[in-house]
Structures are given as C-alpha cells and as structure tokens.
Amino acid sequence: MKRYALGIDYGTNSCRSLLVDISNGAEVGSTVFNYPSGVLGILTDPRDPHVARQNPQDYLDGLEAVIKGALAQAKGGDATFDSAQVVGIGIDTTGSTPIPVTKDGTPLALLPEFADNLNAYVWLWKDHTGHAEAAEITSLAAKIRPQYLAKCGGTYSSEWWWSKILHLRRIDPAVFASAYSWVEHCDWIPAVLTGNTDPLTLKRGVCASGHKAMFNAEWGGLPDKEFLAQLDPEIANLRDRLFDVAHSADTKAGELTEGWAAKLGLKAGTAVSVGAFDAHMGAVGAGIKEGTITKILGTSTCDLMIAPANKPLADIPGVCGIVNGSVLPGCFGIEAGQSAVGDLFLWLVNHLVPDSYGSSVGDKFVAMEKAMSGQKPGASGLVALDWNNGNRTILVDHRLTGLLVGQTLHTQAHEIYRAYIEATAFGALTIINRIEEHGVPVLEVINTGGLSIKNETLMQIYADVLGRPMKVSRSEQTCALGAAIFGAAAAGAGELADLQANMTATREKVFHPILENQAVYAEIYAIYLTLHDAFGSKAWNGSLYPVMKKLLDIRERQRG
Amino acid sequence: MKRYALGIDYGTNSCRSLLVDISNGAEVGSTVFNYPSGVLGILTDPRDPHVARQNPQDYLDGLEAVIKGALAQAKGGDATFDSAQVVGIGIDTTGSTPIPVTKDGTPLALLPEFADNLNAYVWLWKDHTGHAEAAEITSLAAKIRPQYLAKCGGTYSSEWWWSKILHLRRIDPAVFASAYSWVEHCDWIPAVLTGNTDPLTLKRGVCASGHKAMFNAEWGGLPDKEFLAQLDPEIANLRDRLFDVAHSADTKAGELTEGWAAKLGLKAGTAVSVGAFDAHMGAVGAGIKEGTITKILGTSTCDLMIAPANKPLADIPGVCGIVNGSVLPGCFGIEAGQSAVGDLFLWLVNHLVPDSYGSSVGDKFVAMEKAMSGQKPGASGLVALDWNNGNRTILVDHRLTGLLVGQTLHTQAHEIYRAYIEATAFGALTIINRIEEHGVPVLEVINTGGLSIKNETLMQIYADVLGRPMKVSRSEQTCALGAAIFGAAAAGAGELADLQANMTATREKVFHPILENQAVYAEIYAIYLTLHDAFGSKAWNGSLYPVMKKLLDIRERQRG
C-alpha cells in the first residue's frame, strides 16, 4: 500500500500544501491559500514602511484549507486514495518570523485585548523596524562575543529574532511584558498540530534558532545572559523562558492531536516533524548533498550547502550562516544568498522597459529574451552590480545600491536586462568562490524556484558565468517537498537519505557551459569584481581607468 | 530707411536663413531647407558606420531656397520691404567639413566622373573614418610639435581637417590626387557668392582653420611642411596649394556677383563676410562678451568664451581649442563642449521610458518633468556620468561610456532622467571650473539652443548646479543671427560691438540659483567629480567605498 507525506510551505503571502508519494516523489495534491489579512497577507503601518506583521489566524485557517484541499485532490485523482495513508507532516516557513505568546503558547494577537496593536502580531521576516537594535547587537557582539558574529557572516540583521524582540521591548514595553515567551512561526505550527504549545517544552528547530537567534551548542545554546543583559536586563530574563535544546527537522515534534485529525480528515497520531525555514527544506527537496549547492531562484536567492559536522569547518566571512543540523542532521548547513534577483528584473521591466517590447510584463520579458538571443556575451559593453537591494552575502551590507556602466547612445533595454542577469550570475559566482576558498568544494549546482524553470536564457548565462552545468530540480515546489520528506522521516517511513533519494530528482535538460562564452565572461567577471570591491569594500584602493576601456575592447571584439 | 542683414546657417541636416533688422535684431524672415540627398542630408556607407558625407549641390540649392524664402516672408510681412535694403550676408556652417576641389574651386563631387565615389564628396564633421589618422597626428605632434596640441586640448580629433585629408590619401589616392586643394564648407559658400573660388586666393576664415587645421600665426599659419611630410609627403605638397592667411568673420570676403544677385533677388555688390562655424557665430548672436560663457544646448553642447588677445592666455588643458579671432576679432576664442546632452535625454526617452509616462516622446518628457518637480535634489540617491558619447572637454576621450549609480528597486525613469540632466550640469560646471582655474573668470552664463528655451526644469537645475543665474538668448536662431551680424559688419553698417549690442538680447526670465539646492548639489558634485576622475583619469587612485553611502545619506536627508 502506498504511503504519503504532507509538506506545508508557509510563504510571505500565502501557504501551500504538497501531498507526495514517498516511494517516488509523485505529487498527488497541492493547494494554495492566500492569507486574507492586510495587503497580500501583510499588516503594514502607513507611518513606517519598515513594519511588516502577520495575523497568526491566517496560518491556522490556511493550514486547514491547504491540507483539506490536497487530500481532496488526491482522492479526485485516485479514488482508492485513503487519507490514512498519510504517515507524516512537515512544516516550513519564512523566518525569522517570531510570535509573542502567552504562557500556554497562545499568540498575543489572538487575544481580544491585543487585536488593535500590531506590535502583538507576528513579526514577519521582512519587518525592518529593528534596524537600530540590529546595529546595537552587532556592535556589542563585535566587542564582547565575536564568536556569535563569526557564524552569521559578521553582521546581525534587522530581520532576525533578537533585533525584533529588543525593538518591541524598546517601543512597546507593555506588549513585551505581556509576552511570556516567543516562538518562531516554523516551531509554532508543529506545536499547534501536536497539542503542545508550552513555550518551555515545545520542540524548537535548530534551523531557525541557529541561523537567526545565535543558538549554538558550542556556547551552550542561546547567547548568554551577560550578553543579553547588556542589551536589556529584561531580554536576559526572557532567556529563562525560551529554550536550551534545538532539533534538526528529521526529529519528530509529536503526533497529530485528535482535534486536528478530525478537523483535517487525517489519522490522529500522524507524525509531525520539527519545523525549519523554507529555503533549508527547499534545499533538501532539490536534492542537496555534500558538494552540491542548491540555489532557490526567486525574487531574491537563497543558496545552501552542507558540510559534514564531524570535520572542522572554517568560518566563511560574509556568509549568512553556518549552523549544525539546519539542513540535514549531522551536517553544517551553510546559507548564503543574494538580496535581489527576480526583483531586479521585475524592477527593470516595470520601470524602464518601453512598450515597444510588449504591453504586459510577460510579453516584455519574452521580447527582451528574444532580442538578446542573437547577441554575444560582452557585445553590449555593459556591466552592472546586482545591489539594488544591497548585498546580503560577501559584503553583508544593505547600504549598497545599484550600478550600471558602459551605456552609449545606442544601449537598449534588453541589453540592460542581460547585464542584470549577468550581474546576478557574477554575484552567484562570487558566493561560490568564497565558499570554495574556505574549503568546501562546489561540485554540482541544482537550481530551483520560478526563474530556473521559466527562464532558459538565464540558466544558460548562469552556466556560462559559473562555468558549471546548471541542473534544475524536477519539483516546482521543492520547499513543500522538503517538508514532506522530513514528515516522512519523522514518521520513521525510511532513512532520511533514502527518502530524499527516492522523492527528489533533477530534470533531464541540463544547461552546459559554452566554452567560448565562458572565456569572455571570465574577462567581464574580472571587471565586475573590480567594481564590487571598489564600491563595496573599505579596504580597496586602486584605479578604475581600465574599466570602460576593457568593456569597449570586449564589445568591439564580440561584435566583430 | 531700415537696413537688414541675412544670416545663413548650415546645419547637419538642413540650412536656414534669418533676415534681421540691424537696428534692433527684429527677425522679419526665416526659411528652412532640408538637404535632399542621402538620409536626412547625409550620405552613408552601410559597410562603415563612420562614413558621413554630403552633396555640395544641396548647399547651393539650399542657399537659393532659404534666401528667396526669407525675402518673400519679409515682403509678406511688410509690403514696403525692398530687398535692396539687405546690406550684408553672413554664413556659418558645421565643421570641420572639408570639400576636395579642383584648381578653380569646383567640388569634385559636382563633376560627373566622381558622382559615384563618396570619397570625392564633402566630408561632414561627424565623419569618423579618419580615427586612426587622428591618433597618428596626435602622436606625431606630441613627439615633435607639442605646441600644436596645446591649443586644441591635447588631442587631434578624427572630426578634423587633416585627419580626413590624410585618410583620403591613404584609402583613395586617385581622388586625393584629383583634388587640387581643399576648402572648408564655411569658406566655400562665401567664395561662391562672391565669385572667387580660387583655392589660393579665396578668403579663408580663422575659425575653421584655427580650430580644426592647427592654423596659428604663432607658428606661421598651417603646420609646417616638415611635420606634414612625416605624415605623408603628398600632404606636405598640398600645403603649397592651401593658404597662409586666415581672417576673422567681420572681414568682407567680397561682394555678391551679378549672377547670384539676379538668382536671389538681391543687389549685386552686397557685402558677404568671411564664414565661420555655427557655434562661434551662435556665441556672437547670443551676446558673448568678455566674462560671458555662451552655451549652445542641443544634441551636444558647445561652450564659447573670449579673452582679450593683447594679454597672455595660458593653455587650458582639455579644452577643445583656443584661436585668436575665431569668435570676435582681437580676442581669443575658447571653445569647449559636451559630447551628448540632448542626445542623452533622447536616448533615455526612446529606449528606457515606459509608456506609462505617455505614448509620444514629447508626452514622456512632459510627464517626467512633472513627476520630478516635487522631488528635492538628491532625493533619488542617483548620480550619473554624462559620457554615453564620450567626453569631449576636460578628458578629451571618446573611449568613455555612461555610468549610473545609486539605483534601488524603487528607482523610476523620471529620477534617472533627472540624474542625467544633473550629470550634464555637473559636466558643464567641470568645464567652467577648468576655464576659471586658468585665469578666465566666468561672470555670466547665456544659454541658447532648443533645450534652453523648452526645458525650464533643466535651466533651473543648471542654475542650482552652476551656482549662477542662467540667462537665455532672445533669438531662437542665434547662429544665423550671429552670421547676419557679421554680414552687417562686413558691409560697414556699424561697429561690430554696436551691431551685436543692438541686435542681441537675453530674455526677461532668468533662472536664479536656489540656495538650499545649491548646497546639496555641491555635495553631489563632489561625488560626480570622484567618479569622473576615477573612471576618466589614468592618474587617479583611491577608494570609492564612500560613494554609495554618501548618496544614501543625502537621499535620506532630502526625503526627510
């Protein structure tokens, strides 16, 4: 009899289910639920663009809707399908997305007295109100706990756990005092499904805590009280109401309660695994293994690698995070990423592409790809920096902006589009080189996310720039697929490695580097790197006089 | 009885007449003639984009059409008008636009045997086929005649006289041998009208010869034969068939022949003045005087100043040319310019502005100006280099390209448009500073050309960036007006200075700097100058790390 696992993927604007056959990864059901609250599910404050909150009720309503939807689809596709065949459930979410909760684990936002106060709601990953607190945490850690920073690339972010909690403490001490504890979104959903939302005992994931809350077994878990007290004594006190242990996502968080089982139409006692972040589970769903980098290509990108935890691993400066067990148990998860990729192209097409390319965004992209297809690398004479939204990995600096050089009076929009695709490829290569320089060889690249499936031009340019074959994950929902794999593992349905091998695959079409393009891109990459260091690094000192000359030389050669 | 003068202005695609009352500058007739040959009057070669030739017959046909047209208009406007009241004719043209001619001054192109050979036609200013020869001339002069280069900014251009003639010698020796001599377009028209086209005796202008043919009384006129022989012995021989004297444009070239008088409906014996280039006569028509810089704002810009020739004047590195008498007799004419101004905006609107701003080029410009009107300087966080067509003055380098820095995911087209307006203003300020640093104070700025009349946003930004009031010339046709002033002077109708004072004026509306904008632009200009030197100067060495940070600081401050 077939066995299935359910993966639930909580995104920024919606959540989605994926019901998967654990023997072969066949996807038999998937439903999306758009969060009804706020604007596209985000609660904002017109007075402060940094505010981004969510309503936890949306998560609960979505959970029910997408699971029921997937089960109904499976039944529709195969009348013999029985929901009792679902053996495990896995959860992934965005993060760091912390929720202030009561002593019994109820989100404050669900209590009537806090209904009107956004500070009591869920603090979505992209809430940047804590930027001053992030700088304060970075500065304090640099002074007294440099080891904390070494694992998160050297800078603590405003998107992360402590920045948000400290900011709340500063701006709304009443709500802060009402929050007995805090729970990450990815930990709260398994807690709800398994009926143990007690903040002191619910099973926390090492992915969220390690990457965002500076949790590390090396220093005994969360940051020590002396450190936290220097931020605020109340934050130090909060540490006692948090957790000392964190688990990898193959761990069973618990079993589905009678209540939820009845509500969802599943079997009570179904295994629920510990939660983790979307990109990390997406890496597993894409088929991550030692030597493989998985790239989730979306509005931004998230790159993940693993390295065996039983061997020493050097800190990798500028890389977002290195956490034992955050992707797969027994391995360091190495996270990197680019702040704008799809967003960069969308910005261009929305703001700087005339209608001669088409009247819709989609038509414009198609026409631009067609227009650039006859052009050789370097023929436009352009090079760009991919920093319109800052630089997340390597420079770890949000206060960087875009740059485009090489324009003439003949430069066209599709040439700029290509330059931006190339810039994101150069950014990706810089990340790979940095990881390799620190002892982790990158032997395989597996891409996933919308751009990898829809944009063949981009995939070929990536192959040419990275000098490696570009593989694309078979599933279009690698995050939810990864969650399903962990659900199955938590259910004891097989060894994690076997489950991953059976349930994941890459597509037949592989984009191989074209040697002559690769050689030209090596030249242009040297120029990119000069600009990258010149504008991005305090230490750089030099001359930029050759930049425009070299671009013109390459352009003339490539135009023939 | 009223007296009138005629100015004929030969542009790149058309020529135009202006019939002016010499007592007050009132414009009583003006007609345009579009050159019928080639594409918009330009003969091109599909195999070589550098080729740009013209048909001298277009000049003759245009001459007749525009003079007759202006006279008819004057008569139409005032029945008492009598063409015998026209006392003088002045001519301006593009340049360097040399014409290969026979011994009697007939352009080879008008002979049937050369009808099919573009090399025998007029070599239009923007013909760049002689770029290798230009480099050769620059290099030879740097070695053995550095004084030649000192007067033309350090680099001899492919657009100029000797580059073109030497190139013809190299690629088509037969046509070269058939050319007894060469005449600039601006010298040939007065020669034709006055009936003396003998290359050895027709009156040559010092404007064309001084700015483009390295003619200078200091070294005895044209470059010496030893120098020319090192380029090619035949070029040295050609020197004997050219000229030893060159005149300022107030000189009378001769008198209108019976034949042309009859053809045009003018009085035989009417004075015709020596020709000069459009920008130089435009400066006079705009009201140039000591301490005034005139800026002709068109697709590119041409800036002119004068300095008394009886006082020593330092060479000004990077300035296009310094020639005694090229603008006004008794003064050095100092020419500078920017390679792309209006062209830069046209490129942007044609290639990178979506139709949400409007469906026509005009609508888009209007909408962009409106959109930017509420924004403070620096609020976009952008800064650009105005080098999409290279840098003509200061760096004198065609192998430079555009640069834009500071883009985010919210940057809009009108913000980029503004950044390019500002970039051209920064370029203009760099030129003014360079001239002032070499002992020529800039006390007044008079603008002319389409942009100065049509684009008030641009004029205000120029005032704020240059920190000086921006005046705008009253006439929309300052080049033809300047030519008319010289025609009147050659006729002895008054002192040149009085004629200029009577016939020119600036508009009532003056754009005054807004102090708070001026202060912000001073900060942004420092960033522009850093980028200018970093990318444009071999000697620069430094750090660009502060660029993006400062732009963000300014942006945040200006957005409030």
Side-chain angles (χ1 to χ4, degrees), chain A residues 446-477:
Chain A
I446 301 178
N447 298 278
T448 175
L451 284 172
S452 70
I453 295 158
K454 285 183 238 157
N455 197 323
E456 298 207 343
T457 308
L458 178 139
M459 279 290 99
Q460 185 58 52
I461 289 172
Y462 272 46
D464 295 343
V465 169
L466 303 186
R468 294 166 164 90
M470 289 297 113
K471 299 181 183 175
V472 178
S473 162
R474 181 182 63 192
S475 175
E476 294 197 23
Q477 303 301 337

Side-chain angles (χ1 to χ4, degrees), chain A residues 232-252:
Chain A
D232 190 299
E234 284 302 319
I235 298 288
N237 292 340
L238 172 65
R239 189 184 193 280
D240 295 331
R241 308 191 304 272
L242 292 169
F243 54 95
D244 298 314
V245 189
H247 306 274
S248 56
D250 57 321
T251 309
K252 187 163 147 180

Side-chain angles (χ1 to χ4, degrees), chain B residues 103-239:
Chain B
K103 199 166 179 182
D104 67 1
T106 304
L108 297 186
L110 297 182
L111 303 176
E113 60 265 42
F114 293 107
D116 293 336
N117 190 342
L118 276 189
N119 294 328
Y121 279 71
V122 182
W123 291 56
L124 184 61
W125 67 276
K126 66 194 236 177
D127 186 295
H128 290 109
T129 51
H131 55 84
E133 288 79 8
E136 189 182 337
I137 294 166
T138 300
S139 152
L140 178 65
K143 227 181 300 169
I144 67 171
R145 298 290 185 273
Q147 65 273 32
Y148 293 177
L149 292 183
K151 300 295 175 203
C152 66
T155 305
Y156 196 78
S157 165
S158 61
E159 293 184 0
W160 298 350
W161 174 270
W162 295 112
S163 302
K164 288 168 167 159
I165 297 175
L166 181 58
H167 185 64
L168 176 70
R169 163 75 188 140
R170 295 268 161 78
I171 58 150
D172 198 337
V175 168
F176 177 85
S178 304
Y180 175 77
S181 187
W182 290 74
V183 185
E184 274 283 351
H185 180 195
C186 67
D187 294 332
W188 187 67
I189 303 296
V192 166
L193 287 175
T194 59
N196 175 20
T197 56
D198 176 354
L200 301 184
T201 59
L202 72 86
K203 285 225 172 72
R204 312 268 186 160
V206 75
C207 178
S209 59
H211 281 291
K212 310 300 181 188
M214 302 197 289
F215 182 100
N216 194 317
E218 273 185 34
W219 50 78
L222 291 169
D224 61 73
K225 289 182 84 165
E226 188 189 331
F227 175 81
L228 296 175
Q230 289 205 29
L231 297 173
D232 189 299
E234 285 301 322
I235 298 288
N237 292 338
L238 172 64
R239 190 185 191 280

Side-chain angles (χ1 to χ4, degrees), chain B residues 354-387:
Chain B
D355 291 25
S356 52
Y357 286 91
S359 53
S360 72
V361 166
D363 287 352
K364 286 178 178 181
F365 274 124
V366 169
M368 287 201 293
E369 276 179 58
K370 199 172 160 199
M372 76 168 77
S373 65
Q375 271 191 327
K376 288 187 182 178
S380 72
L382 297 172
V383 71
L385 289 175
D386 49 326
W387 297 350

